[in-house]
């Protein structure tokens, strides 16, 4: 059983097909098929269900993929463990939700690069659910996401580094009003109901008996806040400390929820992977930047 065949198998699982895996690995599809045929013969069991509509992993295949990822993580980690003492280097593929990328992350990465010049980071932006999937499939080393609304699998971990309270964001200069009065007076500019935060907001609106008049939905926090600033509606948004200071200058902010709703932000990753030293550096620095050590 070769590492090459295991890498091909995990690529098929990640990309969903032989053709997509071949493209990612710069191989021909026939070469991919031959490697998988040899692996099945070596293991003595079929790993795929082959039908007229395509090929997909069966239960045997899914089990082998899980073990293959563990083997590859251990193998890829050998080099980093043999690095000179104290050396922090390598390429970290890090996912992050947009509010993190425009919040505390850039200055944190800047400080780390000054101390560890051989460290490189490739950033991927996306919603929490998609980023978690990419971590689990091995496409990302770690992801900065909101708290998962499910039990984290045993081989993974999610560690919090910040909390973001929710506010009703209304145009500046209006009269002080309750949340119910704001929703009665303004239409609702929704910020991405497919995100996990959207479910938190909907649950709180339902609990308060508020039925908002939705007019627009955006996956960009900046776009939604621009519409609010123009007086086109109100929005409910989580605001980290940096955004909160800025928002106070341009908007009327009313705490949302009783008690005030808040979401936690943290790092999702495997418990063991080759770039664990790099992700720990990022996580520790984020905790310091956000002042979260005193809360844990």
């Amino acid at each position: 059983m070769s590492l090459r065949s295991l890498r091909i198998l995990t690529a098929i699982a990640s990309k969903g097909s032989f053709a997509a895996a071949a493209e990612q690995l710069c191989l021909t599809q026939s070469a991919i098929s031959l490697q998988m045929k040899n692996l099945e013969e070596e293991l003595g069991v079929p790993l795929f269900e082959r039908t007229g509509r395509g090929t997909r992993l069966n239960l045997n295949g899914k089990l082998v993929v899980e073990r293959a990822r563990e083997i590859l993580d251990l193998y890829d980690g050998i080099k980093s463990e043999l690095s000179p003492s104290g050396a922090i280097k390598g390429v970290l593929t890090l996912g992050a939700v947009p509010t993190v990328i425009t919040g505390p992350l850039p200055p944190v990465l800047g400080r780390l690069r000054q101390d560890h010049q051989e460290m490189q980071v490739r950033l991927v932006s996306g919603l929490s659910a998609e980023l978690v999937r990419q971590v689990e499939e091995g496409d990302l080393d770690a992801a900065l996401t909101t708290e998962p609304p499910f039990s984290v699998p045993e081989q993974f971990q999610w560690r919090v580094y910040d909390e973001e309270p929710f506010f009703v964001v209304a145009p500046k200069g209006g009269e002080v009003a309750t949340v119910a009065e704001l929703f009665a007076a303004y239409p609702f500019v929704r910020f991405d109901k497919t995100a996990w935060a959207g479910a938190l907001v909907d649950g709180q609106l339902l609990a308060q008996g508020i039925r908002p008049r939705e007019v627009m939905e955006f996956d960009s926090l900046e776009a939604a806040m621009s519409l609010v600033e123009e007086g086109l509606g109100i929005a409910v948004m989580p605001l980290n400390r940096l955004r909160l200071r800025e928002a106070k200058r341009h908007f009327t902010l009313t705490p949302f929820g009783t008690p005030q709703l808040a979401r936690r932000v943290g790092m999702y990753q495997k418990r063991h992977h080759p770039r664990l030293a790099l992700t720990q550096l990022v996580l520790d620095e984020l905790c310091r930047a956000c002042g979260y050590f005193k809360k844990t």
Side-chain angles (χ1 to χ4, degrees):
M1 186 186 307
S2 68
L3 292 173
R4 176 184 173 88
S5 63
L6 296 183
R7 292 194 191 280
I8 291 174
L9 179 63
T10 58
I12 293 170
S14 176
K15 297 302 176 182
S17 69
F18 281 33
E23 182 178 356
Q24 180 192 34
L25 299 173
C26 298
L27 298 171
T28 64
Q29 192 167 341
S30 60
I32 295 282
S33 298
L34 179 60
Q35 286 282 339
M36 292 303 94
K37 180 181 177 183
N38 291 340
L39 182 60
E40 287 179 317
E41 290 177 353
E42 185 176 356
L43 294 174
V45 294
L47 303 178
F48 301 91
E49 292 180 9
R50 297 174 171 86
T51 65
R53 292 182 295 178
T55 303
R56 64 179 185 178
L57 288 164
N58 59 22
L59 292 177
N60 291 328
K62 292 176 181 178
L63 175 61
V64 175
V65 165
E66 184 178 336
R67 296 294 179 262
R69 285 175 173 155
E70 294 173 0
I71 292 170
L72 293 171
D73 282 345
L74 288 171
Y75 177 81
D76 292 339
I78 292 175
K79 185 176 180 179
S80 63
E81 291 179 6
L82 295 176
S83 296
S85 178
I88 296 295
K89 60 183 180 179
V91 178
L92 172 65
T93 305
L94 182 67
V97 294
T99 53
V100 171
I101 292 179
T102 58
L105 186 59
V108 161
L109 295 180
R111 287 193 294 272
L112 289 176
R113 281 281 290 144
Q114 289 179 351
D115 296 335
H116 308 283
Q117 296 184 8
E118 294 189 42
M119 175 182 175
Q120 301 178 46
V121 179
R122 184 172 72 87
L123 280 179
V124 177
S125 179
L127 296 180
S128 292
E130 174 61 18
L131 295 175
V132 163
R133 182 190 66 78
Q134 291 184 61
V135 171
E136 292 178 347
E137 293 181 354
D139 294 329
L140 296 174
D141 295 313
L144 303 174
T145 73
T146 56
E147 186 170 9
F150 54 79
S151 178
V152 175
E154 184 177 351
Q155 65 270 36
F156 295 90
Q157 64 177 9
W158 184 86
R159 292 180 57 195
V160 61
Y161 69 82
D162 197 12
E163 285 187 355
E164 299 178 347
F166 282 79
F167 293 87
V168 178
V169 182
K172 192 75 171 177
E175 295 182 3
V176 177
T178 66
V179 169
E181 289 169 341
L182 286 169
F183 274 95
Y186 291 95
F188 185 31
V189 178
R190 180 185 282 277
F191 173 59
D192 208 339
K193 65 182 177 184
T194 64
W196 290 342
L200 293 176
V201 172
D202 286 346
Q204 188 63 224
L205 290 173
L206 183 63
Q208 295 187 29
I210 296 174
R211 294 186 177 182
R213 293 177 288 125
E214 295 185 26
V215 288
M216 287 173 251
E217 178 180 339
F218 288 87
D219 61 0
S220 164
L221 186 146
E222 286 76 12
M225 295 184 83
S226 294
L227 291 172
V228 173
E229 193 168 15
E230 293 299 325
L232 298 177
I234 59 173
V236 177
M237 298 192 179
L239 298 174
N240 58 42
R241 290 191 298 174
L242 178 64
R243 283 193 174 277
L244 183 57
R245 288 195 299 267
E246 180 69 18
K248 285 179 177 178
R249 298 207 300 264
H250 300 281
F251 304 97
T252 298
L253 303 179
T254 304
F256 179 70
T258 307
Q260 185 175 8
L261 187 67
R263 71 175 185 179
R264 301 201 299 170
V265 184
M267 177 178 284
Y268 191 90
Q269 63 182 328
K270 290 183 179 179
R271 291 187 178 276
H272 305 285
H273 63 85
R275 280 154 295 280
L276 193 60
L278 299 182
T279 58
Q280 189 61 49
L281 270 178
V282 174
L283 183 59
D284 288 347
E285 190 63 28
L286 282 168
C287 285
R288 279 189 284 270
C290 298
Y292 203 81
F293 281 132
K294 63 184 179 183
K295 300 179 184 179
T296 58

